[in-house]
Amino acid sequence: MACARVPLDEQQVTEPGPLGKERTLPALHPERAEDRCFVPYKPPPEEASPAEVEEFLERAKFITEDLEWLLALPHDKFWCQVVFDESLQRCLDSYLHHAPRGLDLAALPSSPAVADTQRSVHKAVFLTFLRMATHKESKERFITPAVFGEIIYENFLFDIPKILDLCVLFGKGNSQLLHKMIENVFTQQPSYYSDLDETVPTVLQVFDTILDKCGLQCEGAAAMEPMKLNAHKQPTAMTMSQQDLADLIAYLCDSTTTIHAFLDIFPAACSSFYSHGFISRLTSFYETAVPDLEKAVRKRNFDHKSLQDDLWKRLSHSCRKMVEMTHLLLHHTCLQPILEGDETRTSYLLQGVESAWDSVGRRKPQIQSKTSSSLLSNQGAVGGATAAAASGGFKAPEVREPEGAEGAVCPVSGAELESLLSCIRDLLPDLGEGFLLACLQEYDYNSELVINNILEDRLAPNLDKLDRAMPRPVKEELPSVLNNRSNVFDDDEFDVFRRDQVDMSRIWKGRRKGESAKELLNDKQHIEDQRARYQAYETVVDEVIIEPGDSSSAAYDLDDYDDEYDDTYDMNQVGANDLDGDTLLNRRPFTIPQVLRKGKVEEEEEGEEEQEDDTLQVLKDQFVQDPALLRERAEARRAAMQQRKGIRPERPSNVAGRPKGQGQTLETFLDRRKKEANKSRVSNHNRRTMADRKRNKGMIPS
């Protein structure tokens, strides 16, 4: 068995041999590796056919199970399998080569099973590389650092291309673990730094290849190399095939994304890239290739609009990564050493850069520059400016205009003005802020020029007359607008400008929370508020007994005098002013009761009854009236109505006309033609048409 606290490379293990006889072997020996075949990885199918999806799921399941078995092995067995199992290395390499990158994940099938399986494989591969980069797992399980570096280097467990792929695949969300892993690999095996130096020219060759495919050439390369004879026959971004253009942009996107991920996770590699002139080559490539590629993507006619959108997205992503790469290189190789050293030197250098910008017209004359302090707080300013210069020029930021000294309007913000003052006072602490504000205003807020003129005693005459210890002028505070305002809601319960406390329970936005129609109907508070008012009416006294000697007013608040008594009619004689002749007999005629009537009245009533009987008899006889009479009455009513409405009555029809041989009038001719045209509507003239109509509707069997 292995001894405790002995590195794995020095351990000896005793185990049975093939013939059953025990033998002693080193802990790292090829015969100790298990005979297991790791299948290579294939990416998920783009077109999700059931057969291809099933094949991917089965293959990914095998890889996940094999890697989980590998991770569960003890320390010595794990390293024997990693070092001596070539199928494992082929499996891991295939995943690094073919695993989908960030922009490729959108094209994967939307199947949940495929997504879950891909995540499982991704996690297992990352944990495998993480354990492979760890030389010490515990106090008892470790490898000598020098031997560990030799093992991973000689067996190609890690190399620069693998590290680049690891950064682009696993960098999102695992940047800290990746940084520790790569840092440990480079620390235990410094030979990787020399490999990185040899890799940078190959990375630069990527940009040259893209330029060559587009028929372009960098300015520096054009000066050193002669133009090829067939250069004019080279296809350009506008003339090459759509597939070639798509492959070229995908190649550029993958390369820039990978390099940026590596520099972002392992900043120590920035010095190697910087030493090979990577920034100048990158900016030259940007200025030469990007405009042509953007023009081709925008103006070419593509077979599918989705292809054009995808190419534009990848090209924009590549441009952003190139800008961020420049930022990283400038920050870690140029700015960071200065920022960690002398602040005064930093201010001087940054202001020199600003002056250079002003001299070439990169900024407007009145917008001088940000101060060293503001640029120090924004360490990406120089990187962003360089990248912007690579894309065609520096665009000055929008500038606000606060009030400076003596009410003058300055072209810098308040924070930038304070930074300028702080920068100058750090070098010249004896000068007053008022004097420095006047100097800045005189020299267009250029702190470098102010410092230079003060030290060389070359200030303008108007500044020499000022007191150099002059304090900063105090700004007069304007009266508050709230004190002078006038509003109809002043001093109400919600006036927050005059009240320190406001009942916030009565303020809400939108519908009041917790309030419902049921609660509103069940709220009987208004009844409780009215209860005291109606309690005075609860006691009803039917009879009041007053004892002798008691006062009625004392008992039940009774009083002999009632001020509410209505005495309007006490002095009036009702009916006294009526007229004498205005009696009920004059208003209603007298009628003799029936029992007191005599014969004459009976005869009159009998005559009335006979008249009524005759009327009823006439009505009965006329129950079916003469049609001709009814037509005459209807015609009379129609004529009266037309006369009221002003309608001219129709001329009567005359189709008979005059006797034969005497000729016919025009009216007769027109009436006959009208009758001939409309006779099919009446009588039986249209019976054939109606029969056909019924037959078509299925009313009559065919």
Side-chain angles (χ1 to χ4, degrees), residues 263-508:
L263 295 178
D264 187 27
I265 293 173
F266 190 58
C270 291
S271 58
S272 298
F273 281 80
Y274 183 79
S275 62
H276 286 79
F278 189 83
I279 294 180
S280 60
R281 295 286 296 275
L282 182 62
T283 54
S284 179
F285 170 80
Y286 195 107
E287 292 177 345
T288 306
V290 170
D292 278 19
L293 293 175
E294 289 181 347
K295 179 181 177 181
V297 175
R298 286 198 307 264
K299 295 188 176 182
R300 288 190 57 166
N301 296 324
F302 291 88
D303 296 337
H304 301 284
K305 184 66 166 59
S306 59
L307 175 60
Q308 185 180 18
D309 295 339
D310 181 68
L311 293 181
W312 182 259
K313 180 173 65 175
R314 290 179 182 273
L315 183 58
S316 301
H317 182 78
S318 304
C319 295
R320 184 171 67 252
K321 293 304 177 184
M322 284 189 279
V323 171
E324 293 176 356
M325 274 193 287
T326 308
H327 176 198
L328 289 172
L329 291 172
L330 287 174
H331 173 67
H332 292 291
T333 59
C334 300
L335 293 180
Q336 192 67 30
I338 300 175
L339 295 175
E340 294 175 354
D342 191 350
E343 183 179 355
T344 305
R345 183 186 175 197
T346 303
S347 304
Y348 180 77
L349 291 177
L350 292 178
Q351 290 175 4
V353 173
E354 295 171 1
S355 300
W357 284 342
D358 294 337
S359 63
V360 296
R362 294 292 188 181
R363 292 187 176 184
K364 298 179 181 179
Q366 67 273 16
I367 305 175
Q368 282 299 321
S369 62
K370 296 185 178 180
T371 64
S372 60
S373 301
S374 62
L375 285 178
L376 288 176
S377 63
N378 185 9
Q379 298 173 353
V382 176
T386 305
S391 62
F394 181 80
K395 182 179 179 181
E398 183 179 357
V399 177
R400 294 169 294 178
E401 297 185 351
E403 291 188 358
E406 301 179 359
V409 177
C410 63
V412 294
S413 65
E416 291 174 344
L417 183 62
E418 295 297 330
S419 299
L420 285 170
L421 291 174
S422 176
C423 176
I424 300 175
R425 285 180 60 84
D426 288 342
L427 298 176
L428 305 170
D430 297 334
L431 302 180
E433 291 188 359
F435 175 74
L436 295 179
L437 283 174
C439 294
L440 287 172
Q441 185 178 0
E442 177 69 22
Y443 294 107
D444 294 332
Y445 297 90
N446 188 340
S447 59
E448 181 184 1
L449 189 58
V450 170
I451 295 173
N452 186 57
N453 290 338
I454 291 176
L455 293 177
E456 296 182 2
D457 198 13
R458 293 188 304 175
L459 291 174
N462 59 331
L463 296 177
D464 281 334
K465 300 177 183 179
L466 297 178
D467 182 9
R468 299 204 172 192
M470 181 175 61
R472 191 170 187 173
V474 180
K475 292 182 62 176
E476 296 182 0
E477 295 185 1
L478 297 177
S480 177
V481 180
L482 298 177
N483 296 332
N484 300 328
R485 76 183 184 106
S486 180
N487 195 286
V488 295
F489 301 106
D490 287 346
D491 298 325
D492 64 359
E493 59 177 323
F494 301 114
D495 190 356
V496 296
F497 299 109
R498 289 179 171 83
R499 290 178 178 270
D500 296 333
Q501 295 181 351
V502 178
D503 187 6
M504 299 303 295
S505 62
R506 300 195 59 196
I507 302 175
W508 62 86

Side-chain angles (χ1 to χ4, degrees), residues 537-549:
Y537 301 99
E538 291 183 354
T539 305
V540 179
V541 181
D542 296 334
E543 183 179 358
V544 179
I545 301 176
I546 302 176
E547 299 294 335

